[in-house]
Amino acid sequence: MSIVVVGSVAFDDVTSPAGSVKGVLAGAATYFSLAASHFTKVRVVAVVGEDFGPEHEEVFRKRGVDIRGIEHAKGKTFRWGGTYGENLNEAKTDFTHLNVFEGFRPQIPREYEDSEFLFLANIQPTLQADVRRKMDGVRLTGCDTMNYWIQRTPKELAETLKLVDVLLINDTETKMLAGETNLPRAAHKVLAMGPKALVIKHGEYGATIFFREGAFGIGHHPFRAPTLPIERVEDPTGAGDSFAGGFMGYLASQAELNREVLKRALFYGGVMGSFVVEKFGPQRLLSLTRQEIDARFQVFRELTHLE
Amino acid sequence: MSIVVVGSVAFDDVTSPAGSVKGVLAGAATYFSLAASHFTKVRVVAVVGEDFGPEHEEVFRKRGVDIRGIEHAKGKTFRWGGTYGENLNEAKTDFTHLNVFEGFRPQIPREYEDSEFLFLANIQPTLQADVRRKMDGVRLTGCDTMNYWIQRTPKELAETLKLVDVLLINDTETKMLAGETNLPRAAHKVLAMGPKALVIKHGEYGATIFFREGAFGIGHHPFRAPTLPIERVEDPTGAGDSFAGGFMGYLASQAELNREVLKRALFYGGVMGSFVVEKFGPQRLLSLTRQEIDARFQVFRELTHLE
């Protein structure tokens, strides 16, 4: 089944202890779609500028990603620059030039309308809600957001949360959104806002999924999938978006959506996040094979499997 | 089988968002022994001052902990004061009065010499090594340390590490000790220093155990056990020491020491750490039943169990 992702396409300048790159194709929609493309058909809705050429289209095409929904606007593509220190957990932002992304009003191509899965990457919550309403027939909607929207547009975000099935955010965002420092209590407050499931991303420690009572099956236990950096980490950018791509892409590849499927999706999210950080930009997502993905799935499974 | 723990007994003043307590019985040896006492016979080696009375002895006796190795010195017991902010992950130290702990020279009572397990809580590395050499017949030695010793006494610590079987430290300490920021690579460097296994404590995210090739069985995969705060967290003090108590106590209760046993021990460590933080000081370790412990073990198992 196919999945539509709405979000940013950008060019990044990244510096980390492993080196630096300039103008690398990036953005949430890029990382998400390249990760998800290993599991299912992906369709992108985004905006780019005049500096986005055929060589960039080719990156998506190589992975079979449908880019008919990428709008070409006058001006420059979104550009971001960041530097990671030794601990690699947080980037210092060197610059953010929104450029054409500032006026982004997502348009869903007619050809995308039969998609059964939707992922709303981190954009302004009202735009997310508009897209969700237009894609009325979807079976499952995933959504990301960030502290900026939690703090500045809480009402708009609350409206969006009523329309999504799975929210994927990190620990800090969960606590901020709930106004509660205990993670499981915060999770339950967030679930009361609308989503059927909440995926809390713990960075290098994996992720936990909390379910609303009765959603996707019976039981009230949360589930944790681990992650572990295997190779050298060059560039943590895109780890969260690639996680979302692996998670949503795997879901879209399955006939049934039950808790066991969501648990395995959480593992695949961790797997894709752990691969992308091995190389600068999204390049590892391009060289990756399904065999490598499943081998790492097994490593992560053994990492937590008790006889 | 019985386990000897060598470490601090202290009185703590703790403030957290949940309230504050003064002069609560604490210290690494206290948390460790009360946690381990739920699995096996525990014997303490520590030093206290004249302010340590029969009411404090009674706390250990209630849990059947042998305190013949607690030396009574002239002066005051070690006192520590700390404050936790909203995130609860790190305490701001308000004061540290080492008092009688400053001159601590651990003496192993003759009656303790037949113990088969030893835990060296966080004290000066040369003292740890001395104790380890005196307890020559032990089957397994666990050891803790901290950034202070890693930075100030690296040579002494290196000697100690050659004498221990399992080192239990946190992420930051592992990276500092190895001089390496990638966690799995850091883990392998630490294992090359001596220990057969390294337990890296991730705080609220659980812990990962790395094995030296061939140690405790075949295979080279690390293992991760999760944790999750269930109730309200009142006081994170002693979580790491209670983790070590659950881990080592469970090991000491088992006939065989193989990888499956070490994996389950990692779960029990997480379980004991998650209980102790529910209440100020070690009080939760006193009210706890084995039934509650095993119920939470099941919760943590379900948290990561993939069909």
Side-chain angles (χ1 to χ4, degrees), chain A residues 201-219:
Chain A
K201 297 174 285 180
H202 310 310
E204 58 182 316
Y205 302 115
T208 307
I209 186 165
F210 288 85
F211 297 101
R212 199 156 18 120
E213 191 63 51
F216 304 110
I218 303 161

Side-chain angles (χ1 to χ4, degrees), chain B residues 14-303:
Chain B
V14 178
T15 299
S16 87
S20 75
V21 289
K22 273 193 189 303
V24 67
L25 180 63
T30 303
Y31 283 109
F32 179 95
S33 60
L34 296 175
S37 73
H38 288 275
F39 302 92
T40 195
K41 177 92 191 135
V42 189
R43 295 159 162 178
V44 183
V45 174
V47 64
V48 296
E50 292 150 303
D51 48 359
F52 184 93
E55 72 276 28
H56 305 118
E57 293 191 350
E58 188 52 27
V59 174
F60 292 96
R61 290 230 175 82
K62 254 193 227 152
R63 291 290 325 145
V65 176
D66 189 335
I67 54 170
R68 284 175 293 179
I70 296 188
E71 177 196 341
H72 292 255
K74 266 211 150 56
K76 279 188 168 178
T77 301
F78 182 9
R79 284 179 181 264
W80 178 81
T83 302
Y84 295 90
E86 272 302 332
N87 88 13
L88 293 166
N89 283 327
E90 220 172 317
K92 186 178 72 61
T93 293
D94 298 320
F95 61 84
T96 304
H97 303 314
L98 292 176
N99 299 329
V100 298
F101 190 62
E102 196 158 9
F104 182 40
R105 297 290 170 274
Q107 303 298 325
I108 314 294
R110 198 161 255 282
E111 303 90 330
Y112 284 15
E113 283 175 3
D114 62 348
S115 289
E116 291 191 84
F117 288 79
L118 173 64
F119 185 69
L120 305 164
N122 172 35
I123 59 173
Q124 200 277 338
T126 306
L127 298 180
Q128 292 179 315
D130 287 348
V131 169
R132 173 61 187 82
R133 288 195 189 97
K134 276 179 218 157
M135 298 282 295
D136 210 22
V138 293
R139 221 171 125 200
L140 187 135
T141 302
C143 181
D144 187 12
T145 191
M146 70 184 294
N147 46 10
Y148 185 91
W149 308 120
I150 294 170
Q151 291 173 316
R152 304 208 188 185
T153 60
K155 279 186 194 165
E156 292 84 343
L157 182 57
E159 286 307 307
T160 304
L161 292 182
K162 291 178 191 162
L163 305 172
V164 306
D165 300 294
V166 185
L167 180 66
L168 296 97
I169 51 180
N170 67 28
D171 287 63
T172 310
E173 290 157 354
T174 304
K175 291 172 182 179
M176 192 184 283
L177 183 55
E180 161 69 55
T181 56
N182 176 286
L183 201 64
R185 287 157 65 106
H188 292 118
K189 283 194 180 181
V190 171
L191 289 173
M193 297 178 188
K196 295 190 184 74
L198 169 66
V199 172
I200 306 178
K201 297 174 286 181
H202 310 309
E204 58 182 316
Y205 302 114
T208 307
I209 187 166
F210 289 85
F211 298 101
R212 198 154 22 118
E213 191 63 51
F216 304 111
I218 303 161
H220 60 282
H221 285 303
F223 181 75
R224 168 88 45 90
T227 182
L228 192 69
I230 305 288
E231 309 286 330
R232 189 171 79 137
V233 176
E234 284 192 353
D235 174 10
T237 315
D241 300 312
S242 302
F243 179 100
F247 177 83
M248 291 289 299
Y250 180 74
L251 289 187
S253 76
Q254 298 296 298
E256 242 193 284
L257 295 180
N258 56 43
R259 292 203 179 187
E260 280 308 315
V261 169
L262 275 120
K263 289 176 181 182
R264 280 202 296 278
L266 208 67
F267 266 80
Y268 278 112
V271 165
M272 300 311 282
S274 82
F275 273 120
V276 76
V277 301
E278 289 179 5
K279 297 279 171 199
F280 280 103
Q283 56 181 300
R284 192 66 182 92
L285 299 178
L286 298 168
S287 67
L288 210 48
T289 65
R290 183 60 193 250
Q291 215 169 5
E292 288 179 296
I293 292 169
D294 286 328
R296 188 160 299 178
F297 180 98
Q298 283 308 324
V299 170
F300 284 4
R301 189 174 145 76
E302 278 195 47
L303 184 62

Side-chain angles (χ1 to χ4, degrees), chain A residues 248-264:
Chain A
M248 292 289 298
Y250 179 75
L251 289 186
S253 76
Q254 298 297 299
E256 241 193 285
L257 294 180
N258 56 42
R259 292 203 180 186
E260 281 308 315
V261 169
L262 276 120
K263 289 176 181 183
R264 279 202 296 277

Side-chain angles (χ1 to χ4, degrees), chain A residues 6-51:
Chain A
V6 182
S8 61
V9 168
F11 292 120
D12 285 359
D13 290 0
V14 177
T15 300
S16 85
S20 77
V21 289
K22 274 194 190 302
V24 66
L25 180 63
T30 304
Y31 283 110
F32 179 95
S33 61
L34 296 176
S37 73
H38 289 276
F39 302 92
T40 195
K41 176 95 190 133
V42 189
R43 295 158 162 179
V44 183
V45 174
V47 63
V48 296
E50 292 151 303
D51 47 359

